[in-house]
Amino acid sequence: MTGTTLDDYTDRYARRVRGMTASEIRALFAVASRPEVVSLAGGAPYIAALPLDAVGEMLGRLGAEHGTTTLQYGIGQGLPELRERICEVMALSGIDASCGASPEDVVVTVGGQQALDLVARLFLDPGDVVLAEGPTYVGALGVFQAAQAQVVHVPMDDEGLIPEALEAAVADCARAGRRVKFLYTIPTYQNPAGVTLSEERRERVLDICERAGLLVVEDDPYGQLGFESEAPAPLRARRRDGVFYLSTFSKTFAPGLRVGWILAPHAVRDKLVIASEAQILCPSGYAQAAVSAYLRTMPWQEQLKVYREVYRERRDAMLTALADLMPAGTTWTRPAGGLFVWATLPEGLDSKAMMPRAIAARVAYVPGTGFYADGSGSSHMRLNFSFPAPERIREGVRRLAGVMEQDIAMRRVFGQVSQPGRRGQAGADTPGPDLA
């Protein structure tokens, strides 16, 4: 080879590799992890809230006393005990035997990300369409991109996905002769927007998908992390047929163990297992045993309450800081759970263009462009409140507000920028953020 490009293997890659791009979030990690930077960028849970001494002892026993099994190969579907425990976890949200939930239909995965990838491998051909909320989870966009699918975003507002917009998207795709395979949705404490699909809309969305013959892929990593009232029942608790339920222990226990799952229609389970075996042979036996032991021997439901209180305090710290410090014209969502706030910038500001100046000011966030397949979303940003302490959150917002004020001042000098009324929260006394 002559080495005429930065990558001498360019002409040898498969066609599906050509569209791959780096995650907006992953690209930030090297900078955001510096101690001098206040990172409002990632979605890391606050692991220090766990009883780490007790967890460490539990993990040690798994190796010392059960190493001959936990360190051995396992089965592709996942350990039977863990699948039973997963059904107990889902039952807390209303997904139980009465709606067809069974350990036999649970497939254990390497985190929620592999669960997404398996569904994509089974159902997406190049050129197929996936309907997804706009904005949506950046990791899902990467999976769909790798499958050479096209993502059509469906707008949201403060009550989540807009049913009328979903109907319009289905009709538009049908008129254009585009084949829509499924709706991908995070209906509860959505990432990145933080909003929750309302009770009334959940039934309407399911009805629309049923009439259109669309599968529903429900991603629910945050459903047990509500701060105020109980979350609405998941979509899978309402409909059995055609709904794939994906979740993970990454947000409620430990992301480093990489344990998630799919609850799939019975007919699909075997194909998911075959696809998983082709990828990884079997999930980590040690990681599965660790989660099983945690659920069997430790007060995990009490630990969920600890996480909720920690995140509620940090959510409140962020909302207070935003109200106190953000420049006029900034709006944001008020999440009832989960890990994220979605902010809309004053007119004329660009979150991606502003990022280098924010890093120079030692604060990090994720530009909104990372959450749209077409790269739109530059007037938005995602802010995480789960990991930094409340005082660090306020300091991060202070630094970010300073960067925004500088950009506004520059645009006043070099270009006319209209300034909307005043700062406020979405859904309060100012217009809500444009989640479309």
Side-chain angles (χ1 to χ4, degrees):
M1 294 188 178
T2 60
T4 56
T5 69
L6 292 176
D7 185 348
D8 290 336
Y9 298 89
T10 298
D11 60 347
R12 302 192 181 193
Y13 288 127
R15 280 191 289 271
R16 62 180 172 274
V17 175
R18 294 175 185 169
M20 288 186 178
T21 56
S23 161
E24 296 266 3
I25 298 175
R26 292 289 170 188
L28 283 170
F29 274 7
V31 173
S33 61
R34 296 175 187 168
E36 71 272 17
V37 174
V38 179
S39 178
L40 307 177
Y46 187 60
I47 295 300
L50 285 168
L52 292 176
D53 289 347
V55 170
E57 291 176 8
M58 178 195 77
L59 295 176
R61 287 194 301 272
L62 286 176
E65 301 173 10
H66 306 285
T68 55
T69 54
T70 60
L71 300 178
Q72 186 56 273
Y73 286 116
I75 61 174
Q77 188 174 354
L79 297 178
E81 181 191 354
L82 178 57
R83 289 187 275 120
E84 291 173 3
R85 300 285 174 190
I86 285 171
C87 284
E88 294 172 4
V89 171
M90 291 190 296
L92 293 179
S93 302
I95 304 174
D96 54 23
S98 68
C99 58
S102 163
E104 292 302 309
D105 295 330
V106 171
V107 177
V108 178
T109 61
V110 182
Q113 192 69 16
Q114 193 208 5
L116 273 171
D117 189 69
L118 290 175
V119 172
R121 283 173 181 266
L122 256 60
F123 290 102
L124 294 178
D125 289 316
D128 283 345
V129 172
V130 174
L131 300 180
E133 292 140 344
T136 194
Y137 169 51
V138 63
L141 292 177
V143 167
F144 303 147
Q145 180 185 65
Q148 297 179 277
Q150 301 171 5
V151 175
V152 172
H153 288 293
V154 182
M156 293 189 291
D157 59 19
D158 287 343
E159 293 186 61
L161 189 73
I162 301 171
E164 293 81 5
L166 176 61
E167 282 188 303
V170 171
D172 288 346
C173 288
R175 280 193 296 270
R178 305 171 74 186
R179 183 169 64 169
V180 182
K181 284 294 185 69
F182 55 77
L183 168 68
Y184 170 72
T185 178
I186 311 169
T188 305
Y189 315 136
Q190 202 252 7
N191 176 7
V195 300
T196 296
L197 186 64
S198 67
E199 184 77 37
E200 182 264 343
R201 287 189 181 182
R202 290 181 182 234
E203 293 296 336
R204 292 174 62 193
V205 165
L206 286 168
D207 287 342
I208 291 166
C209 290
E210 186 174 307
R211 287 195 301 270
L214 296 185
L215 301 175
V216 176
V217 178
E218 178 180 19
D219 200 357
D220 189 25
Y222 314 103
Q224 294 182 332
L225 295 176
F227 310 147
E228 294 164 0
S229 57
E230 289 295 320
L235 304 179
R236 181 57 181 78
R238 303 160 188 268
R239 304 283 171 93
R240 178 185 309 191
D241 296 332
V243 180
F244 291 75
Y245 181 82
L246 284 54
S247 194
T248 178
F249 291 104
S250 291
K251 303 303 188 289
T252 56
F253 179 25
L257 291 172
R258 309 305 303 131
V259 177
W261 74 91
I262 307 173
L263 176 65
H266 185 74
V268 183
R269 179 206 60 194
D270 287 346
K271 291 182 175 60
L272 286 168
V273 173
I274 291 168
S276 181
E277 289 174 340
Q279 282 184 324
I280 61 167
L281 192 60
C282 62
S284 163
Y286 184 82
Q288 291 181 80
V291 175
S292 295
Y294 177 74
L295 296 174
R296 182 179 67 252
T297 65
M298 303 192 76
W300 61 274
Q301 293 191 49
E302 292 303 310
Q303 184 59 40
L304 281 176
K305 295 178 183 178
V306 172
Y307 273 133
R308 290 177 191 133
E309 288 304 313
V310 168
Y311 296 155
R312 186 207 319 267
E313 178 188 19
R314 295 173 182 215
R315 186 274 315 264
D316 291 347
M318 176 164 281
L319 294 180
T320 299
L322 290 170
D324 291 346
L325 301 170
M326 275 286 133
T330 313
T331 59
W332 51 88
T333 56
R334 186 185 188 281
L339 311 182
F340 306 108
V341 166
W342 182 249
T344 301
L345 305 181
E347 184 179 345
L349 297 193
D350 183 315
S351 62
K352 191 165 186 176
M354 196 171 66
M355 175 57 72
R357 293 183 288 282
I359 295 299
R362 295 170 298 151
V363 62
Y365 58 87
V366 184
T369 51
F371 304 98
Y372 288 88
D374 60 2
S376 59
S378 61
S379 61
H380 307 283
M381 64 174 69
R382 191 190 75 176
L383 304 174
N384 167 257
F385 54 79
S386 62
F387 193 76
E391 62 272 15
R392 290 283 284 172
I393 290 172
R394 187 172 184 88
E395 175 60 17
V397 171
R398 185 193 68 78
R399 296 178 187 181
L400 179 56
V403 173
M404 293 167 62
E405 294 280 14
Q406 289 175 356
D407 267 32
I408 290 170
M410 290 288 287
R411 281 161 176 74
R412 283 175 179 155
V413 173
F414 295 106
Q416 186 73 25
V417 178
S418 64
Q419 290 296 303
R422 56 192 176 93
R423 68 174 70 98
Q425 290 177 183
D429 55 357
T430 58
D434 174 13
L435 292 179

